[in-house]
Amino acid sequence: MDLNGQILESKSQLLQTANGHDQIQDLRTKAMQVFENEGFPTIKHEEWKYTSLVPILRKNYSLTASAGKVSKEEVEKYSLKTDSYRLVFVDGGFSEEHSDLENAPFTFLTLSNALGSKEEALNLFGKIAPIEDQAFVALNTAFAHQGSFLHIPKGTRVEKPIELLYFTSKAQNEAPFFQIRNLILAEQASETQIYERHQNLGESAALSNVVTEIKVERDAIYDHYKVQNDQRDTALVDNTWVEQAENSFASVDTFSLGGRFVRNNLSFLQRGEHCESKMYGITMIGENQLVDHHTLVDHKVPNCQSNQLYKGIYTDNAKGVFNGKVYVHSEAQKTNAFQQNDNVLLDDLASLDTKPQLEIFADDVKCSHGCTIGQLDEDAMFYLKSRGIRDKEARAMLLYAFCMDALAGVKLEELKSKLKSVLAKKLGVELDFDL
Amino acid sequence: MLTIKNLRASIEDKEILKGINLEVKPGEVHAIMGPNGSGKSTLSSVIAGREDYEVTAGEMNFLGQDLSELDPEERAHAGIFLSFQYPVEIPGVSVTNFLKTAINESRKAKGLEPMPAKDMLKAMKEKMALLEIDRSFLSRSINEGFSGGEKKRNEIFQMAMLEPKLAILDETDSGLDIDALRIVANGVNKLKSQDNAVVVITHYQRLLDHITPDFVHVLLNGQIVKSGDKNLALELEEKGYDWIKKEQAPIG
Ligand SMILES: Nc1ncnc2c1ncn2[C@@H]1O[C@H](COP(=O)(O)OP(=O)(O)O)[C@@H](O)[C@H]1O
Ligand SMILES: [Mg+2]
């Protein structure tokens, strides 16, 4: 039986575990109906035509994994070393022990607590991420009871980054299926940086379906960094929906460096004038790995900007997908939308589908897009080698230089250097790129 | 130092070098002249180890090592340097980072520790002064947006930093104005010693006014058809290549 069948079989039990406020219950039931009607998308679905879910859905998942343990060292290994607020979840459950919220100037509640009574959470749940034609969001909306609610109050500048760390423990030996829901409210003129990571510490073929709804209010500045560097058998479907109000800035950077299957559905809804959205990303994957980026910017009001820059490096039989949709409504005059997707395929077996999708209904706009697929520049390689730089190092220098500009906006210095060293390691070199 | 015997090389089944013989000894300056398309850049690329070219016959020996067994980077470690006719632009790699990596890779190949940052900086300063290069140059991406002259000066700057035993300067003079030519030539002369050698590829006498060659070779249609001293270059400047071509014309 595939995941669909497994879910339908245990649907009443799942709905019961999910619970929440009455208002939520209605939405959950509705979401379940939507999912039942639509099911998981197949490659016949326009948004899934390059990525087949079959190998992911075919497994026998455990839908109600009980929580195991992680060690302090494991947590440290995957977290930032700089001072931060830290929220740690193990197998979906919140771990008070490993979390650190001392003197936090914001509110945190676990999802189930928040959905019990917290008005702000109730006003956010299901309000930004739609369930129609979004099987994973529908499924998550129906059953997710684990995750975070973060409320950054008006005018608050959160000085330290907030880490959202979701671990799958070694205790999981089958294939656990997790549904995580994050609700983030960045109020007016607040400033926030989030570092998000899903990490499997064991060998299980875990599948996580994560939905994050982020509301960025007027004048707020919001930065969110996703590092996806999971072990070889892990699958992740990430659905992140950001709604922005007037004069706000929001960025979601995605660094996809590992895992077996990663699908990122990243959507920005611009709902106030003079706002700016930024999505940068680096994908560097190899053998039997797939990363699929589906982005959407919905420009609904005038005078806004969006910026997308995705770099991809694929070795072995890695498969990449980039589909960037930019929708400019007729009233969204003076929109400035930029999208660029550059890729290097290093092996014959590596493949990539890249598709810009611009739908522009306003006439006074600046929209540009470009995508490139190339190999390593042989002239540049010879130039470097003729100066005594060995093949692997020369390759690494060029590839590193190739993705550098996608790191440009990262405000967390530690993350930047961490990413640099991960990239160097993946490229198999010990070079100090910092000079 | 460098001995080339009966070297033949082709690209895409088209033979370009058709039996080259050349002997370069330490302390010598050789000039190679010849019309466009005669194979000068091909010869330099083949010496530096570019893999696009297939060496079909002959041998190249550098300081006792068979070059055919060395990768381009190993040839660099052995002391060969090629100043490119068309230096490659590499966005995102700064001149400093590039040089630092190149120098330390060579040192590593020789079993040496990386050069301390302080020494590196000092060397860079010295060589920049020698070639009258502005400091701001160091943080720019290699050759990206450089003028023709800047690219050539950058090549000689790299040469000065890497201190090769054999430098091949492929049309380093093209793109340089008179002042830059003097600076670059002066730099090359300063770096010249009894232990190293230079092969200058050029079309014009003007570079050879500054860097005096011990030998001048004429490369025509993939072969060195004439060799002489510096006076041969003057003769070529005056008469062009036609008279040599005629000398070469098959008899009868
Ligand atoms: N990559 C290449 N592919 C095909 N032909 C080439 C290539 N490189 C050089 N050639 C040919 O080889 C010949 C010699 O070229 P080159 O060595 O650049 O001459 P020079 O430097 O003397 O002007 C020319 O006919 C040129 O067209
Ligand atoms: Mg040439």
Side-chain angles (χ1 to χ4, degrees):
Chain A
M1 200 188 304
D2 72 357
L3 182 58
N4 198 342
Q6 297 162 42
I7 286 166
L8 296 182
E9 205 177 57
S10 20
K11 122 181 147 181
S12 53
Q13 188 204 341
L14 290 170
L15 272 173
Q16 210 162 26
T17 326
N19 71 30
H21 197 271
D22 289 351
Q23 187 182 327
I24 299 296
Q25 287 309 331
D26 295 345
L27 183 55
R28 287 199 190 280
T29 315
K30 193 172 146 220
M32 185 58 218
Q33 270 157 15
V34 170
F35 178 74
E36 258 182 277
N37 292 341
E38 294 178 6
F40 285 110
T42 66
I43 52 168
K44 294 204 183 88
H45 192 292
E46 185 59 25
E47 302 296 326
W48 290 86
K49 68 176 176 191
Y50 303 118
T51 299
S52 167
L53 283 164
V54 172
I56 298 305
L57 300 179
R58 207 164 43 192
K59 293 196 181 77
N60 217 338
Y61 286 98
S62 84
L63 303 186
T64 48
S66 56
K69 277 196 177 348
V70 298
S71 71
K72 194 167 180 299
E73 291 69 35
E74 286 168 325
V75 174
E76 291 298 327
K77 183 170 172 200
Y78 294 102
S79 47
L80 298 170
K81 305 289 171 281
T82 38
D83 213 5
S84 66
Y85 299 109
R86 190 178 292 169
L87 296 162
V88 175
F89 293 76
V90 180
D91 300 325
F94 178 62
S95 163
E96 189 112 39
E97 179 195 348
H98 293 294
S99 299
D100 180 4
L101 277 176
E102 205 178 310
N103 299 323
F106 55 88
T107 307
F108 161 78
L109 289 174
T110 61
L111 186 77
S112 52
N113 281 342
L115 291 184
S117 59
K118 191 80 180 167
E119 201 186 320
E120 288 87 350
L122 296 173
N123 288 339
L124 206 48
F125 186 80
K127 292 297 188 326
I128 304 177
I131 51 176
E132 276 82 21
D133 210 23
Q134 297 280 341
F136 285 94
V137 177
L139 195 56
N140 184 290
T141 303
F143 303 132
H145 57 100
Q146 295 176 312
S148 308
F149 167 67
L150 288 172
H151 179 185
I152 298 94
K154 186 171 161 183
T156 304
R157 177 159 189 261
V158 185
E159 304 272 352
K160 303 189 268 181
I162 304 171
E163 298 186 75
L164 285 175
L165 306 174
Y166 291 93
F167 291 105
T168 300
S169 75
K170 290 198 182 90
Q172 307 298 333
N173 41 24
E174 293 170 74
F177 174 57
F178 296 113
Q179 297 218 78
I180 305 295
R181 182 78 163 221
N182 299 310
L183 304 172
I184 301 174
L185 173 60
E187 280 194 355
Q188 194 183 323
S190 64
E191 218 177 310
T192 315
Q193 293 178 350
I194 306 269
Y195 172 72
E196 179 189 358
R197 199 157 178 164
H198 300 265
Q199 198 70 39
N200 187 354
L201 302 171
E203 314 261 280
S204 64
L207 166 63
S208 297
N209 174 29
V210 185
V211 175
T212 303
E213 292 180 281
I214 303 163
K215 187 169 181 170
V216 182
E217 291 192 345
R218 245 180 68 194
D219 302 323
I221 299 174
Y222 181 88
D223 288 287
H224 193 129
Y225 306 103
K226 292 172 186 280
V227 174
Q228 303 170 337
N229 191 13
D230 217 337
Q231 60 88 327
R232 303 211 73 98
D233 289 321
T234 312
L236 171 68
V237 179
D238 183 293
N239 309 272
T240 297
W241 289 77
V242 186
E243 184 185 291
Q244 283 184 258
E246 198 182 330
N247 204 35
S248 65
F249 170 88
S251 82
V252 176
D253 291 350
T254 310
F255 303 102
S256 309
L257 311 166
R260 173 186 163 85
F261 176 103
V262 177
R263 163 75 176 226
N264 288 301
N265 295 315
L266 175 58
S267 305
F268 278 75
L269 311 177
Q270 296 188 335
R271 297 296 180 256
E273 287 191 42
H274 302 286
C275 64
E276 186 182 338
S277 315
K278 173 182 163 254
M279 316 174 199
Y280 277 20
I282 296 175
T283 303
M284 193 189 286
I285 50 170
E287 196 183 351
N288 296 332
Q289 295 182 312
L290 175 146
V291 172
D292 177 342
H293 292 289
H294 264 66
T295 67
L296 162 72
V297 187
D298 192 46
H299 286 278
K300 210 168 187 172
V301 289
N303 298 310
C304 291
Q305 274 191 53
S306 66
N307 263 302
Q308 300 184 58
L309 178 64
Y310 280 83
K311 302 272 183 168
I313 297 172
Y314 306 90
T315 55
D316 212 282
N317 64 347
K319 179 172 158 62
V321 178
F322 178 81
N323 186 106
K325 193 189 276 188
V326 176
Y327 200 99
V328 183
H329 294 254
S330 57
E331 58 271 40
Q333 298 295 356
K334 305 272 182 213
T335 289
N336 200 338
F338 168 85
Q339 179 188 93
Q340 184 70 35
N341 173 229
D342 296 320
N343 304 284
V344 180
L345 299 183
L346 292 172
D347 288 298
D348 290 346
L349 288 174
S351 68
L352 175 80
D353 292 292
T354 172
K355 187 172 135 207
Q357 224 182 315
L358 275 66
E359 295 180 34
I360 300 168
F361 298 95
D363 45 24
D364 185 14
V365 299
K366 263 197 254 169
C367 294
S368 70
H369 69 87
C371 49
T372 59
I373 303 179
Q375 274 90 36
L376 268 189
D377 179 350
E378 283 305 320
D379 289 334
M381 277 298 283
F382 178 61
Y383 190 72
L384 294 173
K385 288 202 257 181
S386 78
R387 299 300 182 247
I389 300 172
R390 283 166 300 163
D391 191 80
K392 203 161 74 174
E393 277 70 15
R395 215 171 123 109
M397 276 184 103
L398 293 181
L399 293 173
Y400 182 78
F402 164 77
C403 37
M404 255 303 267
D405 33 346
L407 277 184
V410 176
K411 292 174 188 164
L412 296 176
E413 281 309 317
E414 189 203 331
L415 176 60
K416 219 181 203 170
S417 49
K418 197 169 181 153
L419 285 167
K420 285 180 182 179
S421 64
V422 173
L423 292 175
K425 199 169 149 194
K426 282 184 77 80
L427 293 166
V429 294
E430 279 176 46
L431 286 181
D432 168 18
F433 289 118
D434 269 344
L435 200 87
Chain B
M1 175 180 269
L2 176 69
T3 311
I4 298 178
K5 280 187 195 150
N6 187 33
L7 177 69
R8 288 178 175 266
S10 18
I11 189 157
E12 291 157 7
D13 290 332
K14 179 176 152 201
E15 184 163 71
I16 299 178
L17 302 182
K18 302 170 181 170
I20 302 266
N21 293 293
L22 183 67
E23 167 95 43
V24 181
K25 296 204 177 77
E28 293 179 350
V29 175
H30 289 244
I32 297 178
M33 305 181 81
N36 281 331
S38 58
K40 302 182 298 297
S41 293
T42 303
L43 176 61
S44 20
S45 298
V46 169
I47 297 172
R50 179 136 201 169
E51 279 131 7
D52 304 3
Y53 299 96
E54 193 193 348
V55 175
T56 53
E59 54 191 75
M60 292 184 284
N61 192 291
F62 182 69
L63 295 169
Q65 277 182 289
D66 178 1
L67 281 187
S68 70
E69 286 175 2
L70 302 185
D71 291 333
E73 58 271 33
E74 292 167 329
R75 298 184 195 201
H77 300 159
I80 293 177
F81 178 89
L82 169 61
S83 168
F84 284 58
Q85 181 176 3
Y86 304 108
V88 185
E89 301 194 5
I90 308 183
V93 178
S94 71
V95 172
T96 319
N97 194 11
F98 171 58
L99 272 175
K100 189 188 145 191
T101 311
I103 288 171
N104 285 334
E105 285 275 288
S106 283
R107 290 176 67 93
K108 195 170 176 183
K110 292 179 188 112
L112 299 171
E113 289 293 301
M115 187 186 275
K118 212 177 87 219
D119 298 357
M120 183 88 68
L121 213 64
K122 191 166 158 253
M124 284 189 194
K125 270 190 184 157
E126 264 172 41
K127 312 293 177 179
M128 280 194 298
L130 176 68
L131 295 163
E132 299 182 27
I133 287 171
D134 191 78
R135 233 194 111 77
S136 64
F137 196 78
L138 291 179
S139 52
R140 292 170 63 184
S141 290
I142 311 165
N143 296 321
E144 194 187 31
F146 285 22
S147 69
E150 281 175 324
K151 285 183 182 166
K152 297 306 174 69
R153 225 190 269 209
N154 182 30
E155 293 291 287
I156 302 305
F157 175 50
Q158 292 174 34
M159 171 187 136
M161 290 298 296
L162 292 164
E163 299 178 336
K165 298 200 178 81
L166 173 71
I168 303 165
L169 312 184
D170 191 0
E171 299 203 24
T172 301
D173 49 344
S174 60
L176 294 182
D177 60 31
I178 296 174
D179 289 332
L181 183 77
R182 188 182 39 76
I183 294 164
V184 162
N186 181 40
V188 174
N189 285 331
K190 283 245 169 70
L191 299 163
K192 192 74 209 47
S193 78
Q194 278 315 299
D195 303 322
N196 59 26
V198 182
V199 175
V200 182
I201 293 171
T202 182
H203 282 292
Y204 307 105
Q205 175 59 33
R206 58 174 205 163
L207 180 64
L208 303 179
D209 288 340
H210 297 279
I211 305 174
T212 316
D214 303 301
F215 301 92
V216 174
H217 311 278
V218 179
L219 185 63
L220 204 64
N221 193 21
Q223 285 181 313
I224 291 181
V225 294
K226 204 173 180 64
S227 297
D229 61 12
K230 61 183 178 190
N231 292 316
L232 177 56
L234 291 167
E235 203 175 345
L236 290 169
E237 175 91 347
E238 200 180 307
K239 302 203 278 189
Y241 295 104
D242 282 353
W243 63 281
I244 298 182
K245 284 184 191 162
K246 281 191 196 114
E247 269 182 19
Q248 290 300 305
I251 302 162

